[in-house]
Amino acid sequence: MLAAHGVQAQSSVTLYGVADVGVEFLTHADANNRSLTRMTSGNLSGSRWGIRGTEDLGGGLQALFVLENGFDIDAGTAAQGGRLFGRQAFTGISSQYGRVTLGRQNNILYD
């Protein structure tokens, strides 16, 4: 007897972000030894927002994507030269054996 069953794919999409801003105090900021207090964006890590997602393709394969945009929170402008999704923008396939991705992404040292 043959039995057929439906395959249900699992997909996931996540919206994420980091807003990093700080107050910086500098002594001897200029030739007249004046102090300077200012707001700076990206003290510990760059401010960013992004979307990442996966789709189960069956048979242990998953499709994936990441779109990540950087911005300067103090100026309200886009970072990475004003490019939309200038930090990362890639797609790929993963399995139990590893993953292959194509596009703009962090280098291997960052991972």
Side-chain angles (χ1 to χ4, degrees):
M1 181 193 294
L2 297 174
H5 59 69
V7 175
Q8 185 174 3
Q10 292 290 329
S11 63
S12 168
V13 175
T14 303
L15 178 64
Y16 64 94
V18 172
D20 184 17
V21 66
V23 177
E24 184 176 58
F25 178 75
L26 301 171
T27 58
H28 307 291
D30 61 11
N32 296 328
N33 291 328
R34 286 186 270 186
S35 298
L36 175 66
T37 303
R38 64 183 176 192
M39 179 173 70
T40 56
S41 181
N43 279 338
L44 297 176
S45 65
S47 298
R48 61 189 168 272
W49 70 273
I51 304 167
R52 81 173 48 120
T54 60
E55 176 74 29
D56 187 5
L57 301 176
L61 289 176
Q62 281 189 325
L64 59 99
F65 74 93
V66 173
L67 297 171
E68 189 173 280
N69 186 52
F71 62 94
D72 292 326
I73 199 166
D74 56 343
T77 59
Q80 290 80 37
R83 290 185 304 220
L84 183 61
F85 304 121
R87 287 180 61 99
Q88 295 189 87
F90 66 88
T91 187
I93 294 181
S94 69
S95 73
Q96 63 184 6
Y97 302 109
R99 103 179 169 175
V100 176
T101 56
L102 299 168
R104 182 184 308 114
Q105 52 199 309
N106 294 322
N107 64 30
I108 195 166
L109 295 175
Y110 188 85
D111 287 339

